[in-house]
Amino acid sequence: MEYLEIRGGSPLKGEVCIQGSKNAALPILSAVILHRGTTVLRNCPKIIDVLYMLEILKDFGCRISWEREALIIDATCLCASQVAECYGRQMRSSIMLLGSLLGRMKEASVSYPGGCVIGARPIDIHLAALKKLGAIFLEEPAGLKAVCCHPTGTTLKLPFPSVGATENVILLAALAEGTTCLENAAREPEIEELCRFLNSMGARICGAGTSNLVITGVKKLHDTDFTIMPDRIVAGTYMLMTAATGGDVLLRNVPIEQLSSVQKILRQMGAKQETGEHTLRIQSQGRPDCVPNLSTAPYPGFPTDLQSPLLAALSLAQGTSVIEETIFEARFKIVEDLRHMGAKIQIENQKAIIEGTEELTPTDLIARELRGGAALVIAAAAAKGTSRVHQYHYIARGYENIIRDLQSLGIVIQST
């Protein structure tokens, strides 16, 4: 699939069921190798990043099968601890295998992480934290080699609440000797979900959802059957798309409690919202209102993963909006594409100043990373006429079937 062809300009109407969470599934897939047995995962999204991770697990010796919507992973015969370079450079999340490989195999080799080009995303916080638990690292031309013969619990404080570093510490500490007290841990719902998953296998983790985690190492884990939570970023994408295009949309299987910061912004934009039991109805008419000042922030703040979709939606707002990006320095890569559509956006350091315009002009667009690609789909859906979004594979890294979802909302969309 080289590009999406989208005929936009009409209000959305219909309903969508939100897929399983990408950002929860990937660390959970890393965690399954800690257990010398079988794990059943339900609601695991069939997205490119998950498929890459499953190929890595197969290379390690895991047996993997799908039975209807259940993903079954048998990690009994794990026999390798090196992530193939072809996969490691394709996806950033391969770095979280460090913690689980060190926990299970006592050694690991990973290439320097790849994936979306949205900023430097250094891994020094990961390495410093894992060293506190006993890991030793050697830099090699192809990546990192790590050894941790005796993982031992400790007390450590992260200099920044890094999601990936928090996950790596949890994964190594789960089977370490003694207790690990992790301060300034990331509070994202995906961290809480990883803890919930590990605890379902017999791990002993307290404080999930707070900035202070206590992980008491156990000797071994056991089989589990676990359902992955819905994806808050996918839900947020469709919420912002509705605000941009107008319409009446019902989202099902929505993690309402995780979306308060997004709901707040939608209220500022003038969208009406009605919540039910795991459902959210969004109604929007005309151009959205501007958002005078917003900064991305770690959870529970406004997520950086939704900054680009919000930027696209605010391109059509009445008035001037300002978005400050505080997490990744290169999250404004879609600005040139939006300008080609007639958007009026200026970048000053890490701030985007958006003077809303009445309409966007359909054109050819190029996705360069996952969330920016989804944002360009929002812009294309709002523009009157036919647009093409090239490099669709970036979008497929995190959206299970965006074509099906948007067709259900009345958008004429196809892949070519």
Side-chain angles (χ1 to χ4, degrees), residues 21-289:
S21 170
K22 165 189 179 288
N23 290 339
L26 293 174
I28 285 172
L29 288 172
S30 298
V32 299
I33 64 175
L34 291 171
H35 169 48
R36 301 172 186 270
T38 300
T39 301
V40 178
L41 296 177
R42 303 181 189 277
N43 203 38
C44 185
K46 294 180 181 178
I47 54 176
I48 286 179
D49 273 14
V50 164
L51 299 180
Y52 279 149
M53 184 66 83
L54 293 180
E55 290 301 316
I56 292 172
L57 297 186
K58 287 179 185 177
D59 280 351
F60 290 165
C62 295
R63 291 185 294 177
I64 294 170
S65 62
W66 291 90
E67 291 187 6
R68 296 183 179 178
E69 295 306 308
L71 173 60
I72 302 169
I73 304 170
D74 184 349
T76 304
C77 299
L78 208 68
C79 59
S81 59
Q82 181 170 356
V83 178
E85 185 176 356
C86 61
Y87 294 117
R89 293 197 179 278
Q90 287 286 343
M91 54 187 296
R92 165 123 188 129
S93 49
S94 61
I95 196 67
M96 70 184 63
L97 286 160
L98 271 176
S100 51
L101 283 172
L102 290 173
R104 170 77 180 268
M105 306 294 285
K106 311 307 179 191
E107 63 179 18
S109 294
V110 299
S111 59
Y112 295 111
C116 288
V117 185
I118 57 171
R121 308 177 86 178
I123 60 172
D124 54 324
I125 298 178
H126 298 242
L127 306 188
L130 294 178
K131 285 177 182 178
K132 290 277 191 179
L133 289 160
I136 299 172
F137 293 94
L138 298 173
E139 291 194 33
E140 298 180 340
L144 289 169
K145 182 174 178 62
V147 177
C148 192
C149 297
H150 301 289
T152 305
T154 186
T155 297
L156 68 153
K157 182 177 182 178
L158 297 179
F160 175 82
S162 161
V163 172
T166 300
E167 290 166 346
N168 259 324
V169 169
I170 292 169
L171 291 167
L172 181 53
L175 294 180
E177 182 178 342
T179 298
T180 298
C181 298
L182 177 61
E183 300 175 11
N184 200 30
R187 297 170 56 195
E188 272 70 6
E190 295 80 15
I191 299 291
E192 188 171 358
E193 189 78 340
L194 174 62
C195 295
R196 190 168 71 90
F197 169 72
L198 285 167
N199 284 344
S200 77
M201 288 201 296
R204 296 174 60 191
I205 305 172
C206 299
T210 75
S211 57
N212 294 301
L213 298 176
V214 178
I215 307 127
T216 302
V218 297
K219 296 290 186 182
K220 62 180 180 178
L221 301 172
H222 56 69
D223 291 358
T224 190
D225 188 320
F226 188 84
T227 300
I228 295 172
M229 69 183 187
D231 195 308
R232 65 190 174 102
I233 304 302
V234 171
T237 299
Y238 296 152
M239 292 164 69
L240 291 167
M241 185 178 295
T242 308
T245 63
D248 186 346
V249 169
L250 180 67
L251 302 178
R252 297 190 179 278
N253 193 35
V254 181
I256 300 289
E257 67 282 358
Q258 300 173 12
L259 290 166
S260 58
S261 65
V262 186
Q263 288 188 284
K264 178 181 177 181
I265 293 303
L266 253 69
R267 284 193 290 271
Q268 283 187 250
M269 296 171 73
K272 295 180 180 179
Q273 302 170 73
E274 181 182 331
T275 59
E277 188 174 356
H278 307 300
T279 65
L280 177 63
R281 183 183 181 186
I282 307 109
Q283 295 174 297
S284 179
Q285 293 183 346
R287 293 171 61 191
D289 296 329

